[in-house]
Amino acid sequence: MALSDITQRINNASAATDSRVQSSVRQTTLFDALNTAQRRSKRQRQSEHTAQSKDHTNSENISPCVDGKQAKRICIGSPRRVRTECAGIAPKRVLILGKPQEQHLGRIKHSIAPAPPTCPAFGQCSMITAIRQRRHQVIAPCTVSTISRLESLVSPNLRTFRLQSTDEPQLVALPLACKYSNNAKACGKLSLVDEGGNVSIFDTFREQEDTSSQQDLEGLQPMIQWKAHDNSIFDFEWSPCDDQIVTASADETCRLWDVERQQMLGLFNGHTQTVRSVSWQHNSQHCFSTASRDGSIMVWDVRCNKTAASGEHSYRPVNTIARAHHDLRSSKKPARGKHNVIAGSVTAIKHLRHDANVIASAGSTNEVIKFWDMRMTAPTRSTALPMPIASSLLVSTTKRSRGIASLSLDPDGTRLYAACNDNAVYIHNALALGQPVSQLGAPEFRCNSFNIGTSMSPCGSYLAAGSASGNAVIWELDRYGLCSKKTRAVLEGHGKEVGCVAWYPGKDRVQLATSGDDGTLRVWDLDPKLAEEGKADPMRKYCWGFSRICREPPL
């Protein structure tokens, strides 16, 4: 039947029924007729389906009894719960799901099937019910906590190196940064830089067969060491091929070194204050970026802008982002509402993994993270401020803004971890920068300086951070890069602030390196037997470094 005929019939029926009603009533349109026909067909299908299901239920749910009577099974809702009614027998409730199985219960033959699979972490709920109710936490696999095994981390004196000043050996030099090479599986290369401008490289896989007391007191010894700068080295970075190292120093310069020959390959001039951070571009052997206290970010390429000065290969930056993390402050005598633009220090910089041309930076003025395109050009006006391609939101709960000490990326490059000076580690989405998705904190974690570093484990399950309390804190992360448990591991062994932490990048073993203001470098290995023996010995318990698990909820 055509829709026009349906419309005409409905209009005629309404006119015949409501003949007394005035003609001002709205006529039924074509869409109303179509909806009416659809609802009518739907009701017919539902009634037919209900009749068929009743006939099927009545034919299956009636079984003969021994006394010649019948036991009727009445279905109650979904899932199908059955109530048996028979003379002389108490009613029982039986759950019928799936294919029935013949079992004898009393004097009546019942059909019982096994219960659906449930999730023990979220109650008696099947997978289909979870999908229907949109309970996605039930569908996600349950996270098994493995942080308890980190209680076996131990750092004996055999795995400790104490720095000494080159000018005055009786004084202790402060370590400023330590990092493993990108491909440390070959020999376990661990590099350390200090305030004296020295670079030391250790072999953390070297087997120490001599276990005498004298060897135990000597500890680790560097296999390569040279003086790279005449001033403090605040940061360094291994090249992707692990054959070169670029160092950032307080003498306002950066230098590129050949690790095997300890020979300088290039000098990079351009900053006017201390160079605080350096980051190498992923999958590139030629480009890296630096950040300085003068508030600028500079991009360098060893293939261009080379000049020969005083017998050295000097380089100029290929791009400069000035006043990257500026701060607006009112002048003493404001004129027409003008403000002084303060170029805040850029404390941390990181190249992102999903886009090699994007740089993440953080400053000392506030806890804002900015994304920059390293190909962007400088503003034409000298007074114009640069515009980042993305910026995070202010999240600090204190009265004044706090700066960020360090940045770390997870192995997948989707989560960005920022250690802020308000004693919290903020977790950002590296793919869509905005408000932090979560934060980490602990009573043992105190970040009140810009020397506190963080490091991600190669599996992406743990985040380690230094602390001003003299400990290193390790949080366990879930599959989404967030803190899933309230427990954490605390590494105790340093007497003063722990500023640098580094995870061994391989997955064949668990190894961690920490350095602090007490002038020591500690290498932590997962050894349950050695940890148990050390905790039982009073002398070793005092001198060695051990780990403990804190199970109270974090702040």
Side-chain angles (χ1 to χ4, degrees):
M1 183 182 296
L3 292 177
S4 58
D5 299 337
I6 298 176
T7 306
Q8 185 176 3
R9 286 191 177 187
I10 294 176
N11 291 333
N12 295 337
S14 59
T17 305
D18 302 332
S19 56
R20 301 177 185 177
V21 183
Q22 298 179 0
S23 60
S24 60
V25 180
R26 183 178 67 90
Q27 294 289 328
T28 303
T29 62
L30 181 64
F31 296 101
D32 295 336
L34 180 61
N35 294 335
T36 303
Q38 291 179 351
R39 287 195 297 268
R40 184 185 298 110
S41 61
K42 184 177 181 180
R43 286 195 299 269
Q44 292 178 358
R45 291 195 302 268
Q46 289 180 353
S47 60
E48 293 176 359
H49 179 71
T50 303
Q52 293 178 1
S53 61
K54 286 182 178 180
D55 296 341
H56 182 69
T57 303
N58 294 334
S59 61
E60 288 187 354
N61 292 338
I62 298 178
S63 59
C65 185
V66 179
D67 296 336
K69 299 182 181 180
Q70 290 182 343
K72 184 185 296 184
R73 300 178 181 180
I74 304 174
C75 296
I76 306 176
S78 177
R80 296 165 58 191
R81 296 188 180 275
V82 177
R83 183 178 60 203
T84 61
E85 296 179 356
C86 182
I89 298 178
K92 287 184 176 289
R93 301 185 61 172
V94 182
L95 181 65
I96 295 182
L97 285 175
K99 185 177 179 180
Q101 298 177 357
E102 298 297 332
Q103 295 185 6
H104 292 278
L105 180 62
R107 300 169 57 188
I108 301 180
K109 185 183 295 185
H110 293 270
S111 298
I112 303 176
T118 59
C119 182
F122 298 94
Q124 300 296 326
C125 179
S126 64
M127 193 68 68
I128 299 177
T129 306
I131 296 175
R132 186 183 298 115
Q133 297 179 359
R134 301 183 184 275
R135 297 175 60 182
H136 302 290
Q137 68 275 13
V138 180
I139 305 172
C142 300
T143 304
V144 179
S145 177
T146 59
I147 198 172
S148 59
R149 69 171 186 157
L150 298 184
E151 193 173 5
S152 302
L153 284 173
V154 60
S155 175
N157 290 339
L158 189 66
R159 312 286 285 171
T160 304
F161 175 71
R162 183 172 294 274
L163 285 81
Q164 294 181 353
S165 176
T166 55
D167 299 333
E168 299 180 4
Q170 66 274 12
L171 298 180
V172 176
L174 299 181
L176 297 179
C178 65
K179 294 179 183 178
Y180 281 91
S181 59
N182 298 318
N183 188 18
K185 293 182 180 181
C187 60
K189 289 183 180 179
L190 173 65
S191 184
L192 176 72
V193 296
D194 55 31
E195 63 176 358
N198 300 316
V199 178
S200 305
I201 298 179
F202 301 86
D203 183 6
T204 59
F205 289 179
R206 185 179 58 181
E207 296 181 0
Q208 301 288 348
E209 297 180 357
D210 188 2
T211 58
S212 61
S213 59
Q214 182 179 0
Q215 181 70 18
D216 192 57
L217 292 174
E218 291 180 359
L220 285 174
Q221 296 298 326
M223 61 178 185
I224 300 175
Q225 189 175 22
W226 75 92
K227 192 175 183 61
H229 293 265
D230 295 331
N231 209 328
S232 302
I233 302 177
F234 280 88
D235 196 12
F236 72 97
E237 188 78 11
W238 288 85
S239 65
C241 295
D242 292 337
D243 57 348
Q244 299 174 358
I245 283 182
V246 58
T247 56
S249 174
D251 58 4
E252 304 174 1
T253 63
C254 296
R255 296 183 181 183
L256 184 64
W257 297 89
D258 188 325
V259 177
E260 185 177 356
R261 298 179 297 173
Q262 298 91 50
Q263 181 181 358
M264 187 178 67
L265 303 178
L267 179 66
F268 303 87
N269 292 312
H271 289 290
T272 58
Q273 293 187 26
T274 301
V275 185
R276 287 282 306 175
S277 180
V278 59
S279 177
W280 212 293
Q281 187 180 11
H282 295 286
N283 300 326
S284 176
Q285 188 70 12
H286 310 287
C287 299
F288 63 91
S289 303
T290 57
S292 173
R293 284 179 176 173
D294 58 9
S296 63
I297 299 174
M298 293 187 178
V299 181
W300 311 85
D301 194 337
V302 298
R303 299 169 296 183
C304 56
N305 287 356
K306 181 188 297 185
T307 58
S310 65
E312 297 179 351
H313 295 288
S314 179
Y315 293 85
R316 293 179 290 106
V318 296
N319 197 0
T320 302
I321 304 174
R323 293 178 293 183
H325 289 266
H326 59 273
D327 188 15
L328 299 178
R329 299 180 182 178
S330 300
S331 59
K332 296 182 179 179
K333 295 180 180 180
R336 297 181 181 180
K338 291 185 178 180
H339 296 80
N340 292 331
V341 179
I342 308 299
S345 172
V346 183
T347 57
I349 190 174
K350 205 72 176 176
H351 275 272
L352 301 184
R353 295 183 182 273
H354 67 276
D355 192 346
N357 296 318
V358 177
I359 306 171
S361 66
S364 61
T365 57
N366 50 39
E367 61 276 7
V368 174
I369 299 176
K370 298 181 180 181
F371 284 179
W372 307 91
D373 193 336
M374 56 186 300
R375 301 164 298 183
M376 64 183 298
T377 57
T380 56
R381 294 172 50 191
S382 60
T383 58
L385 298 176
M387 293 296 296
I389 59 177
S391 179
S392 64
L393 303 178
L394 291 172
V395 294
S396 180
T397 57
T398 57
K399 293 184 179 180
R400 69 179 184 89
S401 298
R402 308 282 181 171
I404 293 177
S406 61
L407 295 175
S408 295
L409 270 176
D410 64 344
D412 297 335
T414 57
R415 289 288 181 266
L416 186 64
Y417 300 87
C420 187
N421 280 354
D422 59 355
N423 301 329
V425 178
Y426 294 101
I427 307 175
H428 293 267
N429 185 3
L431 305 180
L433 191 61
Q435 188 174 359
V437 296
S438 182
Q439 71 179 48
L440 304 174
E444 301 84 7
F445 176 71
R446 290 195 293 114
C447 182
N448 50 20
S449 69
F450 294 105
N451 298 323
I452 303 299
T454 56
S455 178
M456 280 291 301
S457 64
C459 61
S461 301
Y462 306 105
L463 174 69
S467 176
S469 60
N471 304 320
V473 184
I474 302 177
W475 290 279
E476 185 180 15
L477 307 176
D478 58 8
R479 58 182 296 188
Y480 304 107
L482 310 178
C483 186
S484 59
K485 304 293 180 182
K486 296 182 180 180
T487 56
R488 58 204 175 275
V490 180
L491 305 182
E492 299 176 341
H494 292 277
K496 295 183 180 180
E497 175 183 299
V498 179
C500 310
V501 291
W503 280 95
Y504 165 67
K507 297 182 180 181
D508 56 337
R509 66 182 67 192
V510 178
Q511 193 176 92
L512 183 69
T514 59
S515 61
D517 288 352
D518 56 353
T520 59
L521 168 70
R522 287 189 174 273
V523 178
W524 303 78
D525 295 285
L526 197 65
D527 194 339
K529 183 179 179 180
L530 186 61
E532 185 178 357
E533 294 177 356
K535 292 179 181 179
D537 190 349
M539 292 298 296
R540 292 182 175 180
K541 187 176 182 181
Y542 177 76
C543 300
W544 290 11
F546 297 97
S547 173
R548 63 183 177 92
I549 304 298
C550 298
R551 304 187 183 280
E552 63 269 14
L555 295 179

